[in-house]
Amino acid sequence: MHPSSSPANQDAMDRLFQSASHLLILTIIAISIARIVSVTASNGETPFLSANDRSRWSAVAALLEDQTFAIDRLLEKRDSKGRSRTWYSIDMVRHADDQGVERFYSSKPPLLSVIYAGITWPVTMIFQSRLSDYPLLIGRCVLAITNLLPMIWLWYWWRRTVLRDITDAWPRTILLLSGLFGTFLTTFIVTLNNHLHAAIFFAATIILIRQILSLPLGTAKAAGKILLTGIFAGLTVMCELPSLAWAATIPLILFQRDHFLKTWSIYLAGLAPVLLAIVGMNWYAHGDWRPPYYHREALGKLLASVNNEQLATELKSTGVQSITPEQAARLVATFDQELVKQELNATSFVAVEPARRESTMRLIALDAADQSMQRRFAVVIADGRFDIHAWNDWYDYPSSYWLAENKRGVDLGEASVAVYAWNSLLGHHGIFSLTPIFLLVIPGVWLSLRHDDAVTRRIVAGIAVVSTVCIVFYLARDQLDRNYGGVCSGFRWQFWLIPGWLYIACRAFQTTNATTKWWQSVWAKRLVEVCLVISIFSAWFAAANPWQHPWMYQLYLRLLGL
């Protein structure tokens, strides 16, 4: 036996790694605390770094202070000089409340906002201050609770995983540094977001699955862990809807012929209440079971149809986006029928104008019950007639950023699927170009399926399949959604998978067979170290504000002179 592999030597290495890794975690905790207590928007008056987190904070403040999901009041709050609206966000929707009055709402999942509000409430009680009055104080405290504390747990989980599965000092160091400093999860500690918490819940399911598969499935202890797995899988879905793929995969990973139905029933007993809470809270907040981003089409229920073959043919040939005032007036006159007014519950029609969506017009009418209230309807051209639908495009409202004339940059959407796929994987927003340490996932999957035990193989295969499905799902979206996640330091829709990728990367260094020690080559070590350095640089380039373009994209724009 080589001296370096003796039990005494290994114990000494383990103790050294434990001490050094603990010190590294304390270091990242200190850095994160410093980042949180100093996080400040450009106006110097809030800790809100982007429209994304302003949207979430507005929902939290509205729930606590106004007992409503409507955020209209917060949108009008201005800085101390009265110049800029410090709570205004583009990540919001507008639709009628239960009284028929159109109001603004955060477009973010309402159940997560309720949880954030539940965490924020005791902080406001301690300081006897409202979030909207003291956003810096309250906001930073909430960030420390919601973001830093769970991340500390995740860092120590990763430390234990590396210590348990890896024996060699060099790969241990690489993996630990990757998990602490080389991912965008650490970057997002300073902003209220869903990606970090989805990753936390996802990691919890991985831990529980490992524990479950090491226990006899018929025991009460295993049943309790299966129930918890269902709950955490549901919470992951709450944060990232595509993680439904992972929630559906978990029972397949846990499959045991003798306990299949029992495992499924216990798992669903944990998952179903969370999924019902997601749908129920969405209904309570918006009056619809579907999330706000499903309401991007202007067409709702068909309410009425009006014949006018001449005008319909005319507008169909010229296009509704170029409708003239004279044509709009003729169209209003066409709709000015008592039967139509009754069907739409309107007293008169004010205007017809192009809508956000192509081939759709916006019909504005006065409400029959309240003359001061305007209602909107969607109008489309059919064969010789105009179909009037209930309004369903919640992103179409005056001055909306999502109107075609207001969108800019990456939000215009990438026209080419091939270009989008390249940039999302290996280009300026690439998962593997910005954080190339995740290239270790490729040998990790291969070596795990060849050499690992059945439990680990199941988990690795499940993570790999779900990762592939989710990446393909986003790459295959329509141009409207091919925007790289908006202005963000990385391809953020995949951040929740990071703990799984780290777990698989760990398998790339497993030592069940001496022939798998591919990293003993000097060139292999240097290559991995370069990948680590690039990953750390990418993650910390945006440390001050995660809501900025990746450094590769910024460099790309400069080279193009844009």
Side-chain angles (χ1 to χ4, degrees):
M1 179 181 289
H2 192 277
S4 62
S5 61
S6 65
N9 198 294
Q10 186 63 50
D11 288 343
M13 289 177 59
D14 289 347
R15 288 194 297 271
L16 179 61
F17 179 81
Q18 289 175 353
S19 300
S21 60
H22 185 63
L23 183 60
L24 279 174
I25 292 178
L26 291 178
T27 301
I28 192 64
I29 291 173
I31 294 173
S32 299
I33 292 173
R35 291 176 62 208
I36 289 174
V37 299
S38 62
V39 59
T40 310
S42 57
N43 55 45
E45 298 186 7
T46 72
F48 315 151
L49 297 178
S50 77
N52 192 295
D53 56 350
R54 285 196 296 272
S55 176
R56 298 181 192 278
W57 285 114
S58 295
V60 171
L63 284 167
L64 292 177
E65 300 168 13
D66 303 328
Q67 291 75 55
T68 178
F69 282 93
I71 61 175
D72 302 68
R73 177 181 67 85
L74 282 306
L75 299 178
E76 298 305 317
K77 287 187 68 67
R78 294 183 177 270
D79 59 24
S80 57
K81 297 180 180 178
R83 296 176 181 174
S84 61
R85 290 185 287 181
T86 53
W87 291 68
Y88 189 82
S89 173
I90 63 173
D91 287 335
M92 60 185 184
V93 294
R94 185 183 182 187
H95 63 79
D97 62 11
D98 55 2
Q99 302 299 316
V101 179
E102 289 203 349
R103 301 191 185 280
F104 286 105
Y105 300 83
S106 169
S107 59
K108 306 306 178 184
L111 181 58
L112 186 57
S113 295
V114 170
I115 294 174
Y116 286 147
I119 296 171
T120 305
W121 178 78
V123 179
T124 62
M125 292 296 100
I126 291 172
F127 290 105
Q128 290 294 294
S129 303
R130 299 200 315 173
L131 170 61
S132 62
D133 293 332
Y134 296 92
L136 282 173
L137 173 64
I138 305 298
R140 288 168 175 171
C141 289
V142 171
L143 287 174
I145 297 170
T146 60
N147 291 2
L148 181 57
L149 293 182
M151 278 301 292
I152 292 173
W153 171 85
L154 186 69
W155 289 328
Y156 273 103
W157 162 73
W158 183 236
R159 171 180 178 264
R160 289 194 302 271
T161 300
V162 172
L163 183 62
R164 179 195 65 211
D165 294 349
I166 306 299
T167 57
D168 295 84
W170 181 82
R172 274 182 172 178
T173 304
I174 292 294
L175 289 168
L176 182 68
L177 291 175
S178 299
L180 296 184
F181 299 96
T183 81
F184 286 109
L185 294 181
T186 302
T187 313
F188 269 71
I189 280 180
V190 293
T191 181
L192 201 63
N193 68 95
N194 58 307
H195 310 298
L196 186 149
H197 302 98
I200 300 291
F201 297 136
F202 177 49
T205 62
I206 295 174
I207 296 170
L208 287 167
I209 290 170
R210 279 188 59 93
Q211 294 174 351
I212 292 166
L213 291 176
S214 66
L215 294 170
L217 285 184
T219 63
K221 188 175 182 180
K225 291 185 181 295
I226 294 171
L227 184 70
L228 279 176
T229 304
I231 293 173
F232 280 114
L235 292 173
T236 310
V237 174
M238 174 188 69
C239 298
E240 295 281 3
L241 192 58
S243 68
L244 275 169
W246 176 245
T249 302
I250 289 175
L252 302 179
I253 298 175
L254 296 178
F255 176 81
Q256 294 285 346
R257 189 181 304 275
D258 296 337
H259 299 279
F260 180 70
L261 291 178
K262 185 176 181 180
T263 300
W264 256 96
S265 60
I266 297 173
Y267 175 72
L268 288 177
L271 176 65
V274 182
L275 298 183
L276 289 174
I278 295 171
V279 174
M281 192 58 68
N282 203 82
W283 183 274
Y284 184 78
H286 299 290
D288 195 291
W289 64 270
R290 294 168 299 178
Y293 44 81
Y294 272 81
H295 295 270
R296 294 185 299 182
E297 298 293 335
L299 301 183
K301 179 182 178 182
L302 178 63
L303 302 177
S305 293
V306 179
N307 294 318
N308 190 327
E309 186 171 351
Q310 179 182 354
L311 186 54
T313 303
E314 185 179 324
L315 286 175
K316 198 167 186 178
S317 62
T318 60
V320 299
Q321 299 302 315
S322 57
I323 185 172
T324 66
E326 184 270 336
Q327 290 171 326
R330 288 165 57 195
L331 195 50
V332 167
T334 299
F335 295 151
D336 192 21
Q337 304 174 20
E338 286 305 317
L339 182 59
V340 175
K341 291 178 181 178
Q342 292 176 15
E343 289 177 323
L344 302 184
N345 194 27
T347 56
S348 62
F349 301 109
V350 177
V352 175
E353 55 198 16
R356 185 176 75 100
R357 304 297 293 174
E358 187 177 354
S359 303
T360 306
M361 292 174 286
R362 187 188 307 114
L363 172 63
I364 302 175
L366 294 181
D367 186 74
D370 185 352
Q371 295 291 305
S372 65
M373 187 171 69
Q374 293 185 347
R375 301 178 62 204
R376 292 184 293 170
F377 302 92
V379 180
V380 293
I381 303 173
D383 294 331
R385 70 178 190 275
F386 296 93
D387 287 341
I388 306 175
H389 296 256
W391 188 256
N392 194 42
D393 190 348
W394 292 1
Y395 288 84
D396 187 332
Y397 48 83
S399 302
S400 170
Y401 171 78
W402 306 107
L403 298 175
E405 62 269 23
N406 293 335
K407 286 199 298 184
R408 58 186 182 273
V410 294
D411 288 320
L412 294 172
E414 174 56 60
S416 168
V417 175
V419 172
Y420 189 67
W422 168 263
N423 287 329
S424 299
L425 296 175
L426 296 167
H428 51 60
H429 277 77
I431 297 170
F432 300 116
S433 51
L434 291 173
T435 48
I437 198 66
F438 289 131
L439 288 170
L440 289 171
V441 168
I442 299 171
V445 171
W446 171 253
L447 293 173
S448 179
L449 296 181
R450 289 190 64 191
H451 300 292
D452 269 329
D453 58 87
V455 170
T456 305
R457 289 202 304 270
R458 285 191 186 188
I459 297 173
V460 167
I463 295 171
V465 170
V466 169
S467 297
T468 303
V469 168
C470 288
I471 290 174
V472 171
F473 169 78
Y474 278 111
L475 296 183
R477 302 292 292 166
D478 294 334
Q479 182 175 346
L480 179 67
D481 295 320
R482 294 201 294 266
N483 67 347
Y484 305 103
V487 179
C488 180
S489 51
F491 195 51
R492 63 188 175 94
W493 291 319
Q494 306 302 323
F495 287 175
W496 70 275
L497 290 162
I498 286 175
W501 295 345
L502 287 171
Y503 181 81
I504 296 178
C506 196
R507 310 318 305 157
F509 296 105
Q510 49 103 355
T511 55
T512 56
N513 189 318
T515 61
T516 64
K517 288 191 176 183
W518 55 269
W519 66 86
Q520 290 181 329
S521 162
V522 173
W523 286 104
K525 286 186 176 181
R526 297 299 87 81
L527 179 60
V528 172
E529 288 165 359
V530 169
C531 290
L532 174 61
V533 169
I534 294 173
S535 301
I536 293 175
F537 177 79
S538 297
W540 288 87
F541 177 85
N545 185 354
W547 301 107
Q548 59 176 292
H549 287 306
W551 66 270
M552 284 188 180
Y553 187 65
Q554 295 189 38
L555 179 62
Y556 167 76
L557 294 178
R558 289 198 176 192
L559 291 175
L560 293 180
L562 300 177

